[in-house]
Amino acid sequence: MGERKLLCIADDSPECRAAVYFGALRAASTDAKLIVLRVVEPMDPGLWSAMGEAMRERMRLEALDDLQKLSDVAWQAAGLAPELVVQEGTLDHQIRAFIDATPSVKTLLLAAAAGRGGPGPLVAAAMRGGFGFGARAVAIMIVPAGLSDEELADLAT
């Protein structure tokens, strides 16, 4: 059947930790690998060209530091070391490009936010069906907000 990977999108939200925790347990229980992708987006599209290489490298290193903290969550949850990836560009484009370039990604894992702001832009787009996550089909799993680690573990296995 080939290697199967779950792709978890990392951001600064508190729900991201839950998605990585769930993803690590799910990957371990299904003999899959976990990839955690962090996309570093410029505020202005022209910013990358104007930004010095040192500033771009600093942003990349900060993103890797954030990913390392999430890697620790995956390790504590399931003894699993996820693949950590940093991409530069717009979030929707980088998700599509990564899925299209990585045929072993079979599932996209998104964390739903809680509160008045709705579930978050990626979850809302996935629910509307208006935002394709790549040229090929992948399953989309949405991790609900507000669950304890025990509840996440129950859902993941």
Side-chain angles (χ1 to χ4, degrees):
M1 180 177 187
E3 184 175 55
R4 290 176 303 131
K5 295 182 179 179
L6 287 87
L7 176 62
C8 184
I9 307 304
D11 60 19
D12 294 325
S13 72
E15 297 82 20
C16 181
R17 182 211 171 270
V20 170
Y21 189 92
F22 174 88
L25 291 169
R26 184 74 183 160
S29 72
T30 61
D31 197 28
K33 305 265 189 232
L34 178 64
I35 301 171
V36 183
L37 171 65
R38 175 69 186 231
V39 177
V40 179
E41 288 190 74
M43 297 305 272
D44 173 347
L47 189 58
W48 282 138
S49 59
M51 192 181 296
E53 191 59 36
M55 184 64 167
R56 288 178 72 196
E57 181 64 12
R58 179 178 175 195
M59 289 176 70
R60 191 184 74 74
L61 290 174
E62 287 175 4
L64 280 172
D65 186 50
D66 291 342
L67 286 176
Q68 186 56 53
K69 292 172 187 164
L70 292 172
S71 179
D72 293 344
V73 169
W75 184 259
Q76 291 170 0
L80 181 130
E83 179 181 341
L84 305 176
V85 179
V86 176
Q87 299 284 0
E88 294 177 0
T90 61
L91 184 61
D92 58 340
H93 176 75
Q94 292 304 319
I95 293 171
R96 286 184 188 112
F98 191 86
I99 289 172
D100 290 343
T102 316
S104 55
V105 170
K106 306 296 185 199
T107 305
L108 175 63
L109 200 58
L110 302 174
R116 292 184 186 185
L122 292 178
V123 172
M127 293 171 71
R128 282 192 313 270
F131 175 63
F133 288 109
R136 61 184 183 80
V138 296
I140 300 173
M141 295 182 87
I142 299 172
V143 179
L147 298 179
S148 69
D149 287 351
E150 293 77 22
E151 291 168 316
L152 290 168
D154 187 47
L155 288 176
T157 54

